[in-house]
Amino acid sequence: PTLGNSLLILMLRMLVVVPLMLVLAPMMHSRVWQDLQSLLDSVRPNATSGNAGSKRIFWLSIASGGFLFLSQLLIYLSIGQVAAGMGIALFFIYPLISGLLSWFLFRDRPTVLGFGASASICVGELLLLAGGVSTDAGISLGSTTGIASGIAFAIYVILTRSCAAKLHPVTFTLINFATMLLFCIISLMMPLPGNLSLQLDPTKLLELVLSAFVLGVMTLFSYVFNNLGIRKFGASRSAIIGATVPVLTVIFAGLIIQETLLIPQIIGVLLVTFGAAAFSLEKMRSPANPSKTAN
């Protein structure tokens, strides 16, 4: 689980995702190419002052793609050091961080339910960390990168919120995916120290490529189904369903790769899951003030 190997897996994944997204995007949003053209026109040297808003959205979209890239890279590093269920549960600190950022940036005061959700996630994270202290030599790196991944994803969520009212989600996602692929390529071109560089077994290269292809296809399926779920049930209800990811990861990791967690860690995963679901329930019960979201 080196930095170079994580970058390679992420790049192989995005090499599948980006071309497929280019095909699917016009089907999901007919004006996607017009949106992209308008954004590109806004950053040209001869752009008019009337394009200032589009220029800001373009750079915010690129920045969000950068934080999404950082989040994905860090979670790969995390699950290379700790159990997948633990890494994903640590990543789910992001609802707490994004809630705090929304409080400071958008003045979204948390409700009693929000405070309860925060407490549940905090206790769950502590149980995960305490339960793993003596189980793995790489626990410190794995735990740190898992939490850092959640923080980076929380910033991505805030940037997404800033662009949501002015850019279609399909266009925004396409920019994010393309930015991630670009960052992967640039990062792999940079020299890395020996212990962080690519360390591949040539006999496993075909297996790696095929696995990355499956990973990329599953990424697209996840995005498309999530998009359909939001249209059918709304963003908040879909997010409640999405909060089950830590529990599902533990189950599938146990079934597929025989990973196990200690009892305190399992309780921690459940508390994080309940906390993330409660955050989504809070948003569903307390719709945002239009005057705040407009900012």
Side-chain angles (χ1 to χ4, degrees):
T2 68
L3 177 61
N5 287 355
S6 297
L7 283 167
L8 178 63
I9 295 171
L10 185 55
M11 186 190 72
L12 291 174
R13 172 189 170 192
M14 300 317 298
L15 282 173
V16 176
V17 170
V18 172
L20 289 177
M21 189 64 188
L22 289 172
V23 175
L24 289 174
M27 302 178 190
M28 302 172 69
H29 176 46
S30 59
R31 291 186 52 82
V32 62
W33 303 125
Q34 290 91 327
D35 290 351
L36 289 173
Q37 185 63 52
S38 175
L39 290 173
L40 290 174
D41 289 342
S42 69
V43 296
R44 289 177 178 171
N46 59 349
T48 63
S49 58
N51 289 332
S54 296
K55 184 176 182 179
R56 177 176 177 272
I57 293 299
F58 175 81
W59 290 117
L60 283 176
S61 301
I62 296 296
S64 70
F67 278 103
L68 185 58
F69 159 78
L70 181 61
S71 174
Q72 295 295 288
L73 178 60
L74 289 170
I75 196 62
Y76 282 11
L77 291 171
S78 177
I79 61 178
Q81 300 288 344
V82 299
M86 179 178 175
I88 295 299
L90 290 171
F91 163 80
F92 262 75
I93 196 174
Y94 83 83
L96 172 60
I97 303 299
S98 62
L100 291 173
L101 291 174
S102 295
W103 188 2
F104 288 114
L105 296 175
F106 305 111
R107 300 297 185 265
D108 292 344
R109 295 181 63 85
T111 63
V112 174
L113 182 59
F115 281 116
S118 300
S120 180
I121 290 178
C122 286
V123 174
E125 298 282 327
L126 289 174
L127 285 173
L128 284 163
L129 293 173
V133 166
S134 61
T135 61
D136 194 283
I139 189 68
S140 179
L141 176 62
S143 300
T144 302
T145 51
I147 293 173
S149 173
I151 294 172
F153 191 79
I155 298 174
Y156 160 77
V157 169
I158 295 299
L159 292 173
T160 300
R161 177 174 173 177
S162 300
C163 299
K166 300 171 184 175
L167 189 62
H168 194 279
V170 173
T171 307
F172 182 76
T173 302
L174 182 57
I175 295 173
N176 284 171
F177 286 166
T179 301
M180 290 176 66
L181 177 58
L182 180 62
F183 281 154
C184 287
I185 294 172
I186 293 174
S187 299
L188 281 171
M189 292 173 63
M190 297 173 62
L192 295 171
N195 60 331
L196 298 178
S197 61
L198 284 170
Q199 297 179 17
L200 296 177
D201 181 353
T203 63
K204 299 285 179 97
L205 186 59
L206 179 61
E207 181 181 351
L208 172 65
V209 172
L210 291 176
S211 298
F213 177 79
V214 173
L215 180 61
V217 172
M218 294 299 290
T219 300
L220 251 297
F221 274 125
S222 173
Y223 171 72
V224 171
F225 286 142
N226 184 61
N227 191 276
L228 293 174
I230 290 173
R231 292 183 183 181
K232 182 72 173 178
F233 302 112
S236 297
R237 287 186 175 89
S238 297
I240 292 175
I241 298 172
T244 61
V245 167
V247 171
L248 292 175
T249 302
V250 171
I251 293 173
F252 282 111
L255 293 174
I256 298 173
I257 55 177
Q258 289 76 53
E259 279 190 350
T260 59
L261 295 179
L262 301 175
I263 296 299
Q265 293 175 307
I266 294 175
I267 296 173
V269 169
L270 292 175
L271 287 174
V272 169
T273 300
F274 291 145
F279 266 115
S280 300
L281 182 61
E282 179 197 28
K283 292 180 182 178
M284 188 168 62
R285 293 174 58 182
S286 305
N289 188 326
S291 64
K292 293 178 181 177
T293 55
N295 296 328

